[in-house]
Amino acid sequence: MSHTRAPRRQLTAAVAVALAAACVGTLTAGAAGAATPEATTMTTVSSNAAPEGVAALLPDSVVLGHGPTGFLTSHKDSVTGAAVHRWTRYGDGVSTVLPAGTYRGGLGTDVIVKTEGSTYTLHDMATGAAPTVIDTSSLGATATLASLHGTTLVMRVPRAAGGVDLHLVGKPADTLEDRVVTGIPSAAQNVEFLVNGPNTLVIRYAVPGETDSRAALVDVATARVVGDQVLTASGDNPILTASDSHLAWFESGVYGSGPRTLRVAPRGQQESIRVPIGSGGRMVLGFLGEDWVTYADREGSWSYSPNPLHALTARSLTDGRTVKLLDLTLRILPGSDGELLVHGATLEHGEGLYRVTTGPDGTPAAALVASTGRPLAHTVTSVNIPATVDLTLASGDPTLSWTATGISTGKLTIELTHTATGVRRTILTIATRGAAQSWDGRLDDGTAAPLGDYTWRMTTAPTNGIGPTTERNGTLRVVGQPGPHDFSNSTAPDLLFRSGGRLSVFDARQVLNSGSQGTLSEVVVGSGWDTYDRIVTPGDLGGTVHADLLGRDKSGVLWSYPGTGTASAPFATRARVGGGWGIYNHLTAGLDVSGDGRRGLLATDKDGVLWLYKGTGSLSSPFQPRVRVGGGWGIYNKVTATGNIGGGPAGDLIARDKNGDDWLYLGKGDGTFATRTQVGTTWGYYTDLIPVGDADRDGRADLVVRHVTGGGSGSLSFHRGSGNWRDPFPHSERIQAPWGFLSDGSLLF
């Protein structure tokens, strides 16, 4: 591909400026008898918007027409949303902002037309000549402008009995001329227009009952159809292009994905050659002179997979060889003298308008004539990832942001490597053009990220495969407050599950979000845990931050397992707390009920007396001598320390009686509890009540409940804490997870 200045036929910069000024004057003054347009402005695009010697094209502009000296574009104003039209000269890059209105351009002509009702004003943007005003009101209110062919308006006029007439309307020698095109079948439907060559119109239409579309060739000089051709295998909505000697189209299915076959036929001949070119989506076509046809898939900028058809390819009609001209194509616009103007991009010069011509040796080449200043490849230019993030509460979730250049979509991936364990996991994979994303602290498997130091790696690659993969790196520290049910050194709670003698840990956040088809990450702590008839999770007993575990064996001895903070081995070797604990039928822990900042243990004996063992802060001797709280607790078959769910000064208890009614005991902060309050009446359905802690990170304690039917299948539900002691768990949400294993074990609180 070559990168050159404007061709020799373009005006010099000095002459172009003078002519543009004259043209602006005519646009501003308007024509006699016409409404006076708004005053226009003329803006010279700064040199940093495009390479030297190349005109500027505003990003996201639509090219409405082009000629030898410049091009017409429409661009939406970012503030008002109104369309702003510009004429841009190739010679010096000056863009003239046209007065407000509706404009159309032609292909290969510097003439543009402004539409005001049935009045059309033609402006020659190259010469600055006086405008030509054409009044088409005589055609009726239903007449519409279909195309501009040089200085001729191609008007579409519906017939009262159905079908349409085409009128070629002009004003040569200042005399209105209206010619009706003859030879179009009266049954023609879905008539559309293509402008090709200085003297020929190509009209695409359909005939009822026929599978394929047709093309009619209209001689502009005589306003007659001089050829009619069936577009074989085209279906009813083909892409069509034409030269002075050939027609080209795609076989049916062009608007869907799949294999594409190009058809090329000499004008007036029904025989056509078939050229399979690969799979593509929305295809574009254009003839380059008489010997080459160009094609591309215009979906390349937002494609999620590489495809050779994203490039602009020219195929020789004489020997079948192909030449790649651009890396990506958006639109092909036929021009004068068999040239093409293509909106596309190359890795070398970025996005813009490229003039495609054939060189002295007959080989096609592309030259950049207008640039948006945007590169083709998706490249991240800046990254903002906080150095430290606290994942305790959802309100503190960090925002990972980045900026990028390029017109292509990029696949961005962020990986974290935990420094302590070396485990690498993905936290984000997204198709993007540059934005921001909040990170909720979960890894790609849904588990909560462990606390500690990380290195991060961000890789970006164009999804269309055009351009290199880039990488950025940095460091990150995850901090937060571990909870009493956190056994994996994160801010998220975990669920303990015992099946026979096997004890396992499941990440609660993964469980809540896994869905019915999710895969759960199970950490097997070990075997032999069936030696215990009670296992409770008191939280941190010994001041190490990490949650500990208590187990009572069948002889009544209580054992403690210090938490390690290591996800793969969460508990250290057990230590004997003491004997005589077999007198209790309920054990629950994890509360600071006395307001001293230490977690204690609550137990009910077989006489229904509730006892409190205050914490000492020492793992070797974790509890003080017991203190009697009160009697009458024998009516309950479940007693669960839920944490502070009522917003009071200390931890609370929920107790379920034999009728299935649930009662809340609010902790006073002095080792005692307030009078009970009923908070539920149907909880007898549940097998387990698990005070999981703050699983949804809203700062309130939550509850996970389990139910096992008589047939053995299990289910879980999540009760989100409200913080209101009168109604602490107002809503229940079924956890859709693969819980087939629930039938042969129990969750531990």
Side-chain angles (χ1 to χ4, degrees):
M1 189 204 77
S2 61
H3 178 199
T4 63
R5 296 179 63 87
R8 63 181 181 275
R9 69 171 177 271
Q10 294 181 354
L11 301 176
T12 64
V15 174
V17 170
L19 291 177
C23 183
V24 169
T26 62
L27 282 170
T28 305
T36 302
E38 298 177 8
T40 188
T41 60
M42 186 166 61
T43 305
T44 301
V45 180
S46 59
S47 60
N48 62 358
E52 183 180 356
V54 176
L57 174 69
L58 289 179
D60 304 317
S61 293
V62 177
V63 179
L64 301 179
H66 70 100
T69 71
F71 56 92
L72 175 68
T73 60
S74 174
H75 185 270
K76 183 177 293 187
D77 186 273
S78 60
V79 177
T80 65
V84 178
H85 296 86
R86 288 174 170 82
W87 177 263
T88 302
R89 297 191 298 264
Y90 296 122
D92 57 4
V94 171
S95 289
T96 300
V97 179
L98 305 179
T102 302
Y103 294 86
R104 293 278 293 271
L107 300 178
T109 176
D110 291 319
V111 175
I112 65 173
V113 57
K114 183 179 182 182
T115 303
E116 296 174 287
S118 61
T119 300
Y120 299 89
T121 305
L122 278 62
H123 300 271
D124 190 327
M125 302 304 291
T127 66
T132 300
V133 180
I134 300 177
D135 185 355
T136 64
S137 57
S138 61
L139 300 180
T142 60
T144 56
L145 177 64
S147 178
L148 174 66
H149 186 76
T151 57
T152 300
L153 304 177
V154 182
M155 304 296 296
R156 190 174 189 273
V157 183
R159 303 184 191 127
V164 296
D165 285 323
L166 297 183
H167 292 244
L168 305 182
V169 182
K171 207 171 184 181
D174 204 31
T175 301
L176 184 66
E177 180 181 75
D178 178 11
R179 298 174 295 153
V180 180
V181 175
T182 60
I184 299 177
S186 59
Q189 295 181 349
N190 303 325
V191 178
E192 297 183 9
F193 308 92
L194 294 171
V195 180
N196 295 90
N199 299 309
T200 306
L201 288 174
V202 180
I203 300 172
R204 182 179 62 206
Y205 68 94
V207 174
E210 294 187 4
T211 303
D212 297 320
S213 294
R214 288 177 171 266
L217 311 178
V218 178
D219 179 69
V220 176
T222 61
R224 290 189 303 108
V225 173
V226 294
D228 191 271
Q229 192 158 344
V230 176
L231 305 177
T232 305
S234 66
D236 60 358
N237 196 14
I239 295 295
L240 172 66
T241 190
S243 69
D244 287 340
S245 59
H246 288 80
L247 292 175
W249 66 93
F250 288 103
E251 291 188 357
S252 60
V254 68
Y255 287 114
S257 60
R260 293 286 172 260
T261 299
L262 175 65
R263 291 265 190 167
V264 181
R267 284 192 179 190
Q269 298 183 23
Q270 293 303 136
E271 294 296 325
S272 59
I273 63 171
R274 299 178 73 253
V275 183
I277 59 173
S279 295
R282 301 176 63 187
M283 305 297 294
V284 288
L285 270 173
F287 274 107
L288 178 61
E290 299 303 317
D291 298 327
W292 297 85
V293 61
T294 64
Y295 54 85
D297 180 351
R298 67 185 299 261
E299 295 180 336
S301 63
W302 59 86
S303 174
Y304 290 142
S305 60
N307 189 341
L309 288 181
H310 295 156
L312 179 66
T313 300
R315 183 180 183 87
S316 172
L317 300 181
T318 58
D319 58 20
R321 65 191 173 104
T322 59
V323 177
K324 178 182 175 181
L325 298 171
L326 303 180
D327 294 308
L328 185 142
T329 312
L330 300 175
R331 191 180 179 195
I332 298 176
L333 300 161
S336 59
D337 300 329
E339 297 179 349
L340 297 174
L341 186 68
V342 180
H343 187 182
T346 65
L347 285 173
E348 181 181 5
H349 298 301
E351 180 196 14
L353 299 179
Y354 290 79
R355 178 172 285 114
V356 180
T357 60
T358 53
D361 62 351
T363 302
L368 181 68
V369 294
S371 173
T372 63
R374 299 194 301 187
L376 165 56
H378 179 88
T379 304
V380 171
T381 56
S382 66
V383 179
N384 183 15
I385 295 180
T388 302
V389 297
D390 188 335
L391 299 175
T392 304
L393 297 176
S395 59
D397 283 348
T399 297
L400 317 178
S401 61
W402 58 93
T403 57
T405 60
I407 64 172
S408 299
T409 300
K411 179 183 179 181
L412 182 143
T413 301
I414 300 179
E415 294 177 325
L416 294 183
T417 300
H418 195 224
T419 303
T421 63
V423 175
R424 176 184 295 177
R425 301 305 296 263
T426 300
I427 64 169
L428 179 65
T429 298
I430 187 173
T432 177
R433 294 195 178 189
Q437 186 80 17
S438 177
W439 180 44
D440 65 0
R442 286 188 292 160
L443 305 178
D444 56 356
D445 63 353
T447 60
L451 304 178
D453 292 327
Y454 291 83
T455 57
W456 58 261
R457 182 178 71 162
M458 173 187 285
T459 57
T460 54
T463 58
N464 57 18
I466 306 174
T469 297
T470 59
E471 180 177 318
R472 287 174 174 263
N473 300 277
T475 59
L476 172 72
R477 173 171 291 180
V478 174
V479 300
Q481 181 61 48
H485 246 266
D486 172 25
F487 310 111
S488 55
N489 193 34
S490 70
T491 58
D494 299 302
L495 294 174
L496 285 179
F497 181 78
R498 183 173 64 174
S499 177
R502 186 182 69 181
L503 184 67
S504 302
V505 178
F506 293 92
D507 185 283
R509 293 194 66 196
Q510 184 191 51
V511 169
L512 293 176
N513 295 280
S514 61
S516 59
Q517 302 301 318
T519 300
L520 299 179
S521 300
E522 179 183 11
V523 175
V524 179
V525 177
S527 59
W529 289 83
D530 52 353
T531 189
Y532 302 113
D533 62 3
R534 291 287 188 276
I535 296 177
V536 294
T537 56
D540 171 31
L541 293 176
T544 63
V545 178
H546 306 301
D548 307 318
L549 199 66
L550 293 172
R552 185 186 69 183
D553 65 24
K554 296 173 183 177
S555 65
V557 176
L558 190 65
W559 302 84
S560 67
Y561 286 82
T564 65
T566 302
S568 58
F571 305 114
T573 304
R574 71 178 186 175
R576 190 178 191 275
V577 176
W581 291 81
I583 64 173
Y584 300 116
N585 54 8
H586 294 296
L587 295 175
T588 188
L591 299 182
D592 172 17
V593 297
S594 56
D596 58 4
R598 297 167 181 167
R599 301 183 185 277
L601 178 68
L602 289 157
T604 60
D605 62 24
K606 297 174 182 178
D607 294 326
V609 177
L610 179 65
W611 300 89
L612 169 63
Y613 288 83
K614 294 182 180 181
T616 64
S618 170
L619 193 59
S620 60
S621 180
F623 302 116
Q624 301 178 33
R626 69 179 187 175
V627 176
R628 189 180 190 275
V629 177
W633 290 77
I635 64 173
Y636 301 118
N637 56 27
K638 287 285 184 182
V639 178
T640 302
T642 60
N644 189 336
I645 64 173
D652 309 317
L653 284 179
I654 280 185
R656 185 183 65 190
D657 64 26
K658 297 174 183 178
N659 296 322
D661 296 334
D662 254 25
W663 302 88
L664 171 64
Y665 287 84
L666 293 173
K668 294 182 178 180
D670 59 359
T672 64
F673 297 91
T675 303
R676 70 177 189 174
T677 303
Q678 188 171 359
V679 294
T681 60
T682 60
W683 290 58
Y685 174 82
Y686 300 123
T687 310
D688 298 311
L689 305 176
I690 312 301
V692 72
D694 184 12
D696 58 1
R697 300 190 305 144
D698 63 355
R700 299 163 182 162
D702 306 312
L703 200 65
V704 171
V705 299
R706 172 175 175 256
H707 168 65
V708 178
T709 65
S713 61
S715 65
L716 292 180
S717 295
F718 178 62
H719 293 252
R720 196 182 306 274
S722 68
N724 178 8
W725 65 269
R726 293 180 178 85
D727 191 12
F729 303 110
H731 302 294
S732 173
E733 303 170 20
R734 180 75 175 267
I735 300 174
Q736 300 294 330
W739 290 115
F741 63 85
L742 282 177
S743 59
D744 62 352
S746 59
L747 289 170
L748 306 175
F749 58 87

